């Protein structure tokens, strides 16, 4: 196994078997956490990541295929490509992200950490990754937070492509966008108070 990436909470190894490439994502112990909490968080996040990957795969959202699951590790298909944050960003890609997010939200799944660092571009199409903070909810506020993270991370032109596709494709898109405006208003208000 070869270490290919070290994220905030996991190590990613690549391995090959049967002539195919896979990755193993293992959540490592964090010494700054109380041991019981550390064990619980790593196990819970691993389980919810795997559950969400299966659920999204079943409804046709592009995610790496799940191969095997351990207590703190997930073996999945290796995506050949680059992170969205490191590639040429186009309106077309963001339209596809908007469609995927609409499908996912209508299914009652929220990503929880949707940024250009958690989208991989593979054969010119976006694949969502990193579902450790995902949850199953139909709350407009949680859904709005997925949009807000992306909105803060990219240009307004690119975000517009995402939002348009989201609105066209999601049953509850309008409600979520209205809630997003609300969240942003509250955010500005809080920021003013902090100045
Ligand atoms: N299925 C995959 N195929 C190829 N590379 C991957 C895959 N999953 C993760 N990676 C790589 O590992 C990095 C960290 O993975 P990620 O799931 O985002 O974990 P973290 O929670 O540590 O951010 C990603 O930025 C990406 O470079
Ligand atoms: Mg990540």
């Amino acid at each position: 196994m070869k270490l290919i990436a070290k994220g905030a909470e996991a190590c990613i190894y690549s391995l090959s078997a049967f002539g195919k490439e896979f990755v193993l994502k293992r959540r490592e112990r964090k010494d700054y956490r109380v041991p019981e909490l550390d064990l619980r968080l790593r196990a819970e996040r691993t389980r919810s990541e795997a559950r969400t990957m299966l659920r999204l795969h079943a409804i046709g959202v592009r995610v790496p295929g799940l191969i095997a699951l351990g207590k703190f590790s997930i073996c999945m298909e290796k995506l050949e490509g680059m992170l969205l944050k490191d590639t040429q960003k186009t309106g077309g890609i963001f339209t596809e992200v908007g469609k995927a997010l609409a499908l996912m939200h209508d299914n009652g799944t929220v990503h929880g950490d949707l940024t250009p660092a958690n989208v991989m571009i593979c054969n010119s199409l976006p694949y969502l990754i990193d579902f450790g903070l995902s949850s199953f909810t139909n709350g407009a506020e949680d859904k709005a937070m997925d949009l807000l993270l992306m909105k803060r991370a990219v240009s307004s032109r690119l975000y517009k492509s995402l939002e348009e596709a989201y609105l066209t494709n999601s049953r509850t898109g309008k409600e979520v966008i209205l809630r997003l405006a609300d969240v942003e208003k509250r955010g500005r208000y809080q920021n003013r108070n902090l100045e």
Side-chain angles (χ1 to χ4, degrees):
M1 287 205 309
K2 190 169 137 243
L3 183 70
I4 57 165
K6 204 166 176 353
E9 60 158 14
C11 287
I12 311 285
Y13 301 89
S14 77
L15 55 124
S16 54
F18 316 115
K20 280 194 76 170
E21 295 277 313
F22 301 94
V23 307
L24 184 80
K25 173 171 179 175
R26 192 164 69 202
R27 286 188 164 76
E28 308 293 345
R29 193 177 66 216
K30 296 279 174 208
D31 288 328
Y32 59 79
R33 284 188 201 132
V34 182
E36 298 77 51
L37 177 69
D38 181 66
L39 284 171
R40 185 162 63 77
L41 280 184
R42 288 191 292 140
E44 279 177 7
R45 288 179 182 171
T46 302
R47 276 183 67 79
S48 51
E49 175 153 36
R51 207 186 294 131
T52 297
M53 284 171 68
L54 283 177
R55 190 158 152 153
L56 294 184
H57 190 261
I59 58 163
V61 175
R62 279 182 292 268
V63 296
L66 179 79
I67 306 292
L69 175 64
K71 192 163 183 199
F72 305 120
S73 57
I74 295 177
C75 182
M76 65 184 99
E77 262 171 6
K78 183 175 186 189
L79 300 173
E80 296 302 341
M82 284 171 84
L83 293 173
L84 176 57
K85 79 174 178 66
D86 299 325
T87 55
Q88 173 80 24
K89 298 177 196 61
T90 64
I93 289 283
F94 279 82
T95 297
E96 289 303 318
V97 174
K99 284 187 202 165
L101 197 61
L103 199 56
M104 171 171 171
H105 281 181
D106 281 359
N107 179 252
T109 309
V110 165
H111 187 289
D113 192 17
L114 190 69
T115 69
N118 285 329
V119 178
M120 284 192 78
I121 305 302
C122 197
N123 297 324
S124 308
L125 286 169
Y127 284 69
L128 305 184
I129 63 167
D130 202 358
F131 298 99
L133 298 178
S134 64
S135 51
F136 298 146
T137 165
N138 269 307
E141 182 113 2
D142 293 320
K143 293 179 182 177
M145 291 312 292
D146 272 353
L147 287 165
L148 184 60
L149 272 192
M150 252 324 172
K151 187 172 185 178
R152 284 188 174 157
V154 301
S155 71
S156 53
R157 182 182 66 84
L158 292 171
Y159 174 72
K160 194 114 202 79
S161 299
L162 185 158
E163 192 180 280
E164 274 172 20
Y166 183 78
L167 262 176
T168 312
N169 290 280
S170 163
R171 281 194 307 272
T172 56
K174 206 157 170 210
E175 182 197 347
V176 175
I177 301 289
L178 284 174
R179 181 61 76 95
L180 172 61
D182 227 44
V183 172
E184 288 184 295
K185 233 181 281 161
R186 269 187 265 144
R188 269 204 296 277
Y189 179 70
Q190 278 163 14
N191 287 345
R192 245 198 329 263
N193 278 352
L194 290 175
E195 277 165 9

